[in-house]
DNA sequence: GCCAACGTTGGC
DNA sequence: GCCAACGTTGGC
């Protein structure tokens, strides 16, 4: 099972929204590197849910991949904020996955904390200038992060 | 709100 | 194929 990290602005879509909805399509990704990572995702892979562009950026919960990559309909929807004129139903260009809520952390594992861990040097999330919204979490980094995740509920993990 | 860093576009 | 200009991300 692979581990991924996905960023969301909580004003747009938060871990609480995911908890309430249980499942959500991860659409609107318009970056090739992020899209290519989504294409590598397999059902059952674990996702670290990250809040970005907010007061306290950091990991806030976990989810599972519940549907693998398939065309993101918003890319050819002229009414969508994610509309891409270079996309069409015949040539979608962009993909989405579906994720399912797993668990929420007791409190945010903040970016500040993650940056303070020397063992995470090299992890794209903490690299200067990195803006990737979807990234793999290599095993060596997962080994550092996993033990410090404190879940709200322990039964679903 | 600012701005550094980065990805994408398009002229040449 | 280069690279300047532009738009976006996201921490601070």
């Amino acid at each position: 099972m692979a581990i991924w990290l996905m960023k969301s602005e909580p004003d747009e879509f938060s871990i609480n929204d995911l908890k309430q909805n249980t499942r959500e399509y991860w659409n609107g990704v318009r970056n090739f590197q992020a899209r290519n990572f989504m294409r590598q995702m397999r059902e059952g892979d674990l996702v670290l849910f990250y809040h970005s562009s907010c007061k306290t950026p950091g990991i806030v919960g976990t989810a599972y991949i519940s549907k693998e990559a398939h065309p993101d309909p918003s890319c050819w929807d002229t009414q969508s904020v994610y509309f891409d004129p270079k996309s069409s139903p015949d040539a979608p260009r962009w993909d989405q996955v579906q994720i399912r809520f797993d668990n929420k952390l007791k409190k945010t594992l903040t970016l500040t904390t993650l940056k303070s861990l020397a063992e995470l040097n090299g992890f794209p999330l903490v690299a200067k200038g990195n803006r990737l919204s979807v990234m793999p979490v290599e095993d060596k980094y997962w080994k550092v992060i996993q033990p410090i995740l404190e879940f709200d509920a322990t039964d679903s993990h």
Side-chain angles (χ1 to χ4, degrees), chain A residues 73-87:
Chain A
S74 71
C75 73
W76 64 76
D77 175 4
T78 54
Q79 302 305 306
S80 171
V81 292
Y82 300 127
F83 173 66
D84 173 3
K86 291 183 175 172
S87 295

Side-chain angles (χ1 to χ4, degrees), chain A residues 27-39:
Chain A
N27 62 4
V29 170
R30 298 292 179 266
N31 171 286
F32 290 107
Q33 217 182 338
R35 182 203 67 183
N36 293 341
F37 283 136
M38 290 206 298
R39 287 179 173 177

Side-chain angles (χ1 to χ4, degrees), chain A residues 27-146:
Chain A
N27 62 4
V29 170
R30 298 292 179 266
N31 171 286
F32 290 107
Q33 217 182 338
R35 182 203 67 183
N36 293 341
F37 283 136
M38 290 206 298
R39 287 179 173 177
Q40 294 173 32
M41 293 173 172
R42 292 298 166 256
E43 198 170 327
D45 282 358
L46 188 71
V47 175
L48 302 180
F49 196 107
Y50 178 94
H51 281 176
S52 67
S53 295
C54 57
K55 196 178 171 192
T56 311
I59 298 168
V60 291
T62 53
Y64 285 102
I65 300 299
S66 47
K67 275 186 188 164
E68 296 180 6
H70 56 283
D72 171 2
S74 71
C75 73
W76 64 76
D77 175 4
T78 54
Q79 302 305 306
S80 171
V81 292
Y82 300 127
F83 173 66
D84 173 3
K86 291 183 175 172
S87 295
S88 69
D90 289 338
R93 187 158 137 128
W94 302 109
D95 280 6
Q96 62 181 7
V97 295
Q98 188 198 59
I99 64 170
R100 175 172 56 81
F101 177 77
D102 174 47
N103 217 329
K104 203 182 145 178
L105 300 191
K106 278 183 187 164
K107 61 183 177 66
T108 304
L109 175 51
T110 67
L111 179 62
T112 308
T113 299
L114 295 168
K115 280 183 169 173
S116 74
L117 302 171
E119 304 96 312
L120 292 183
N121 285 347
F123 181 39
L125 182 76
V126 299
K128 189 185 173 187
N130 198 287
R131 303 177 307 165
L132 201 54
S133 64
V134 176
M135 68 186 77
V137 182
E138 280 181 62
D139 202 46
K140 58 181 173 179
Y141 304 130
W142 176 231
K143 282 190 165 68
V144 176
I145 295 169
Q146 186 176 27

